[in-house]
């Protein structure tokens, strides 16, 4: 499995990135803030207006380093994409399957299966780890319910029904989400999922981490030659990376939600790291974002044994492993797509 | 029936194919590529010879670099690192040159001489292209190994040529079907730059259905 290199996050808005030789130079007006050899980087991610020289973009495209521009709130703006990699035959297979609701449903089913299986396992882990702080019977009940959903999902070959099953499972899971927040309860609570804009601290973190994960998944898909914009569960919508959202389904809970819970429960962020706008929108402060990204980077370096490949990899490589497995399925090496099932 | 040169395969692919049919298919059919130390070294070695506009004359020798070649028989095109034309009364005549020449391909390689025959297949295929294009015999070729800075002479035999023909036949067959052969794991996997893309481990995997069913408990 390939090595996980680092992501360079630029969170200050008036920073300019250039390339000198093989080194990325980070500068603010006249001052050089740092130099990082390009070959140590897998991705560069900038927030707010941060410029990058065309020469750096060129080198990133050539060396397959993902260079992403997000706005100050972490919303995706643009990405530098190099020459289309991979085979046109692979992408045509992807498009053909995407055009067929029946064929799409067979792959979508596995994304959703894993999403719900992972949510179920998150709930079970919570009952095991904190039996005295959560309503165990309620967790057990939802877990059993999710098991019934899983059986239905495995037998389901209809996209609309799959979406329905997924929605029900998600609302049952999110109904217990607040109980898994064990620390700083006054500042961090969860009633329901809201976004655009998020109106509480937890939703602000969830929205942010989903953006980061979507960016990683998109890059992983492009790396293996798939088109991140053509999905199976998510249908085409201009400008939406539908396939990235598909693959993300199985990773949301296990990677993103758990990470947000950990950051709060370990008190890595607190109330002071957020600001509330006049309209109720909640934003992370610059300082809060830095801490969050730092923790995210560290999280990605931790290892696990991939459940299907049985190989030790970094958490940060899970999107790559899934992208490769999806490509291998579309190429016909695997009769079905093996989703990421955490245990 | 006309010749459709669009379907010609890359000559250098024969070394990948001889090394591992799946590696070849990943590169040439699926267009996947990943660099490792060996491939970067290879690029470095070739920087020195990839100079199509330098033509050298030394005494009885004309040295041509980065010469494009092809063979309609093998349906392949490629580039010879170096072709030497050596004055020889028993040789062939060349356009714009006085006298007769024998034709000798020289292929530049990183590292030192290898036991396996994949490099030889590439040199033989080049020789076959030259024979076809120049209507001549190319009985010997050379490897120049970067690490030991020395040449090794290779006899181009009929047995080699027959193997090259068979390999190209199979390559065209796979290419037409856009087929990537399944993994055959072996020692060679260790030195392959595509291990991450190939996932040789997939071959031994359980089926996905039972992998998923295990979570229904």
């Amino acid at each position: 499995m390939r090595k996980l290199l680092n992501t360079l996050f630029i969170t200050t808005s008036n920073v300019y990135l250039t390339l000198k030789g093989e080194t990325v130079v980070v500068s603010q007006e006249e001052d050089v803030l740092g130099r990082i050899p390009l070959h140590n980087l897998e991705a560069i991610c900038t927030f707010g207006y941060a410029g990058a020289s065309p020469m750096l973009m060129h080198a990133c495209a050539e060396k397959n380093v993902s260079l992403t521009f997000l706005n100050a709130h972490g919303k995706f703006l643009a990405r530098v994409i190099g020459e289309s990699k991979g085979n046109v035959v692979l992408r045509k297979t992807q498009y053909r399957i995407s055009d067929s609701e029946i064929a799409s449903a067979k792959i979508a089913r596995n994304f959703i299966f894993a999403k719900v299986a992972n949510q179920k396992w998150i709930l079970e882990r919570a009952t095991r780890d904190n039996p005295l702080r959560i309503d165990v019977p309620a967790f057990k009940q939802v877990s059993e319910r999710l098991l019934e959903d899983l059986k239905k999902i495995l037998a389901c070959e209809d996209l609309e029904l799959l979406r329905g099953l997924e929605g029900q499972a998600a609302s049952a899971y999110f109904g217990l989400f607040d109980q898994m927040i064990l620390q700083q309860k006054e500042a961090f609570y969860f009633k329901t999922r809201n976004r655009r804009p998020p109106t509480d601290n937890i939703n602000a973190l969830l929205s942010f981490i989903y953006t980061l994960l979507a960016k990683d998944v998109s890059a992983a898909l492009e790396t293996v030659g798939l088109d991140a914009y053509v999905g199976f569960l998510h249908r085409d919508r201009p400008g939406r990376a539908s396939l990235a959202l598909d693959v993300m389904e199985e990773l949301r809970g296990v990677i993103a939600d758990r990470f947000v819970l950990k950051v709060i429960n370990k008190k890595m962020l607190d109330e002071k790291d957020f600001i509330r706008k006049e309209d109720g929108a909640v934003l992370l402060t610059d300082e809060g974002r830095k801490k969050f990204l730092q923790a995210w980077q560290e999280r990605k370096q931790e290892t696990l044994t991939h459940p299907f490949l049985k190989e030790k990899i970094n958490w940060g490589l899970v999107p790559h492993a899934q992208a490769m497995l999806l490509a291998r399925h579309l190429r016909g090496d695997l009769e079905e797509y093996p989703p990421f099932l955490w245990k | 029936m006309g010749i459709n040169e669009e379907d010609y395969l890359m000559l250098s692919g024969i070394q990948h194919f001889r090394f591992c049919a799946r590696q070849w298919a990943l590169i040439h059919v699926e267009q996947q590529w990943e660099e490792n130390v060996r491939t970067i070294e290879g690029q470095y070695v070739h920087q020195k010879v990839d100079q199509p506009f330098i033509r050298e004359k030394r005494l009885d020798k004309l040295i041509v670099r980065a010469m494009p070649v092809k063979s309609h028989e093998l349906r392949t095109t490629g580039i010879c690192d170096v072709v030497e034309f050596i004055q020889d009364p028993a040789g062939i005549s060349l356009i714009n040159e006085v006298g007769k020449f024998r034709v000798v391909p020289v292929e530049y390689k990183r590292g030192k001489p290898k036991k396996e025959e994949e490099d030889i297949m590439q040199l033989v295929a080049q020789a076959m292209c030259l024979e076809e294009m120049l209507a001549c015999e190319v009985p010997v070729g050379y490897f120049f190994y970067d690490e030991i800075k020395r040449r090794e002479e290779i006899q181009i035999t009929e047995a080699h040529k027959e193997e090259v023909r068979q390999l190209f036949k199979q390559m065209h067959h796979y290419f037409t079907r856009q087929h990537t052969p399944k993994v055959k794991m072996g020692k060679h996997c260790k030195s392959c730059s595509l291990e991450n893309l190939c996932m040789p481990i997939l071959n031994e995997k359980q089926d996905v259905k039972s992998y998923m069913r295990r979570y229904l408990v």
Side-chain angles (χ1 to χ4, degrees):
Chain A
M1 191 57 74
R2 52 189 285 226
K3 258 197 273 169
L4 180 65
L5 304 172
N6 286 310
T7 301
L8 170 64
F9 288 106
I10 302 293
T11 54
T12 325
S13 60
N14 58 344
V15 161
Y16 193 71
L17 299 171
T18 48
L19 188 71
K20 193 146 202 195
E22 298 285 303
T23 307
V24 182
V25 181
V26 183
S27 44
Q28 191 167 29
E29 282 160 18
E30 302 295 294
D31 304 329
V32 171
L33 302 181
R35 295 169 202 274
I36 304 105
L38 189 60
H39 71 260
N40 286 346
L41 294 175
E42 177 173 87
I44 301 174
C45 187
T46 74
F47 293 87
Y49 176 71
S53 73
M55 200 153 96
L56 178 64
M57 294 188 198
H58 183 132
C60 285
E62 204 173 71
K63 295 195 176 357
N64 210 13
V65 174
S66 116
L67 171 59
T68 320
F69 299 95
L70 307 178
N71 76 7
H73 307 168
K75 187 177 173 297
F76 177 84
L77 287 174
R79 186 154 52 91
V80 172
I81 306 173
E83 195 184 1
S84 272
K85 280 195 53 169
N87 183 1
V88 58
V89 176
L90 176 67
R91 275 193 299 280
K92 280 181 80 177
T93 308
Q94 180 190 350
Y95 299 154
R96 249 194 315 272
I97 292 176
S98 170
D99 276 340
S100 152
E101 296 240 341
I102 298 163
S104 291
K106 286 188 179 150
I107 300 177
R109 173 186 65 197
N110 293 8
F111 297 140
I112 296 302
F113 182 88
K115 176 179 188 171
V116 176
N118 290 336
Q119 286 173 337
K120 173 173 173 282
W121 189 240
I122 290 169
L123 299 180
E124 278 168 31
R125 282 285 277 259
T127 59
R128 202 178 71 188
D129 295 346
N130 305 98
L132 302 177
R133 304 210 41 195
I134 59 167
D135 180 358
V136 173
F139 273 64
K140 284 241 149 50
Q141 198 194 339
V142 172
S143 168
E144 274 159 33
R145 200 221 128 138
L146 294 184
L147 181 62
E148 292 313 305
D149 289 340
L150 282 173
K151 289 176 186 159
K152 286 183 206 150
I153 291 165
L154 203 57
C156 181
E157 295 201 348
D158 179 278
L159 280 177
E160 236 5 87
L161 290 176
L162 271 175
R163 288 194 193 99
L165 287 165
E166 186 252 331
Q168 289 166 25
S171 71
Y173 159 81
F174 274 120
L176 297 175
F177 199 78
D178 188 56
Q179 288 198 49
M180 292 190 279
I181 301 165
L182 303 170
Q183 299 285 346
Q184 320 185 72
K185 292 286 273 192
E186 358 26 84
F188 296 96
Y189 49 81
F190 181 90
K191 293 208 173 60
T192 171
R193 177 84 185 105
N194 59 54
R195 57 214 177 103
R196 288 179 205 176
T199 55
D200 59 66
N201 297 347
I202 289 286
N203 272 297
L205 291 181
L206 287 175
S207 290
F208 187 40
I209 196 71
Y210 291 158
T211 313
L212 295 177
L213 186 57
K215 172 187 83 63
D216 286 355
V217 175
S218 282
L221 292 167
E222 304 272 354
T223 306
V224 300
L226 289 166
D227 186 335
Y229 290 83
V230 176
F232 305 125
L233 176 69
H234 291 83
R235 311 309 291 172
D236 297 350
R237 184 192 290 170
R240 178 169 78 176
S242 294
L243 187 62
L245 296 178
D246 283 2
V247 174
M248 231 181 99
E249 289 297 352
E250 57 190 75
L251 306 179
R252 274 177 204 272
V254 69
I255 296 185
D257 300 357
R258 281 175 69 227
F259 175 71
V260 167
L261 288 170
K262 179 179 157 192
V263 164
I264 300 311
N265 289 339
K266 297 221 163 184
K267 300 187 182 170
M268 293 151 102
L269 288 184
D270 59 39
E271 208 172 349
K272 292 191 290 299
D273 292 313
F274 298 83
I275 44 168
R276 183 178 284 275
K277 301 290 252 190
E278 293 67 18
D279 63 354
V282 172
L283 300 178
L284 259 174
T285 62
D286 279 356
E287 193 48 39
R289 192 163 57 203
K290 248 181 227 168
K291 287 192 269 181
F292 192 70
L293 289 170
Q294 180 72 39
W296 174 236
Q297 269 312 91
E298 281 161 18
R299 171 69 185 142
K300 287 208 270 187
Q301 303 291 342
E302 288 170 23
T303 57
L304 79 152
T305 302
H306 190 283
F308 186 76
L309 296 169
K310 302 273 192 298
E311 222 181 301
K312 222 174 177 166
I313 61 170
N314 297 110
W315 273 97
L317 277 181
V318 170
H320 288 273
Q322 294 314 119
M324 276 193 279
L325 289 168
L326 182 57
R328 289 283 134 227
H329 163 59
L330 298 179
R331 290 286 326 173
D333 284 357
L334 286 164
E335 85 286 9
E336 263 193 78
Y337 165 68
F340 183 80
L341 290 163
W342 179 59
K343 218 164 203 184
Chain B
M1 204 172 70
I3 297 163
N4 185 1
E5 294 185 12
E6 284 271 292
D7 300 337
Y8 284 22
L9 294 174
M10 260 168 83
L11 189 147
S12 56
I14 194 168
Q15 59 170 328
H16 301 133
F17 192 78
R18 181 66 155 64
F19 175 77
C20 166
R22 183 173 168 90
Q23 191 205 46
W24 169 82
L26 290 172
I27 299 168
H28 296 266
V29 180
E30 299 192 23
Q31 313 261 298
Q32 307 217 45
W33 181 252
E34 229 168 59
E35 304 284 4
N36 71 6
V37 176
R38 291 180 184 84
T39 64
I40 301 275
E41 280 175 9
Q43 280 171 23
Y44 176 74
V45 170
H46 280 87
Q47 260 171 25
K48 292 191 273 185
V49 279
D50 190 13
Q51 304 280 357
F53 303 110
I54 298 177
R55 189 178 141 107
E56 262 179 80
K57 269 188 178 169
R58 280 193 214 156
L59 301 171
D60 62 338
K61 253 191 210 174
L62 169 65
I63 302 166
V64 180
R65 289 162 205 274
M67 185 162 118
V69 292
K70 69 173 138 194
S71 159
H72 298 305
E73 186 201 356
L74 301 174
R75 291 196 288 144
T76 183
T77 63
I79 290 173
C80 292
D81 287 339
V82 167
V83 180
E84 295 187 347
F85 297 97
I86 304 163
Q87 295 263 3
D88 187 337
I92 51 150
S93 12
L94 292 172
I95 313 168
N96 298 336
E97 297 293 332
V98 184
K100 304 240 174 190
F101 298 85
R102 90 191 122 83
V103 183
V104 183
V106 185
E107 175 64 17
Y108 280 61
K109 288 288 171 196
R110 56 164 282 283
K112 23 183 196 214
K114 299 173 199 69
K115 272 198 236 80
E116 294 73 21
E117 296 227 311
E118 61 258 13
D119 289 352
I120 294 177
M121 290 298 114
Q122 188 186 2
L123 188 64
V124 172
Q126 290 174 2
M128 291 169 79
C129 289
L130 292 167
E131 289 186 340
E132 189 183 309
M133 292 170 77
L134 299 166
C136 64
E137 303 267 312
V138 180
V140 284
Y142 292 90
F143 285 117
F144 180 85
Y145 285 100
D146 180 62
E147 198 176 315
I148 55 171
K149 308 272 181 241
R150 216 176 327 111
R151 280 188 175 193
E152 185 188 21
E153 187 179 292
I154 301 293
Q155 301 292 329
I156 292 160
T157 65
E158 186 46 45
H160 281 142
K161 288 189 194 173
E162 187 48 34
E163 189 176 354
V164 167
R165 284 185 203 107
Q166 290 309 321
L167 290 171
F168 268 106
K169 214 183 226 172
Q170 287 176 42
M171 283 156 69
H172 279 290
H173 181 64
Y174 285 152
F175 194 81
T176 316
R177 288 170 52 214
Q178 292 282 314
H179 171 68
T180 304
K182 291 250 190 290
V183 180
K184 275 193 195 135
M185 264 183 103
K187 269 211 305 276
H188 58 285
C189 292
K190 280 206 174 62
S191 57
C192 177
S193 74
L194 296 185
E195 198 188 347
N196 298 329
L197 294 167
C198 168
M199 297 188 143
I201 202 163
L202 282 188
N203 229 21
E204 299 154 18
K205 285 302 155 203
Q206 52 184 327
D207 75 301
V208 178
K209 267 266 153 27
S210 53
Y211 162 72
M212 287 170 65
R213 284 218 182 86
R214 284 204 335 239
Y215 285 76
L216 287 182
V217 283

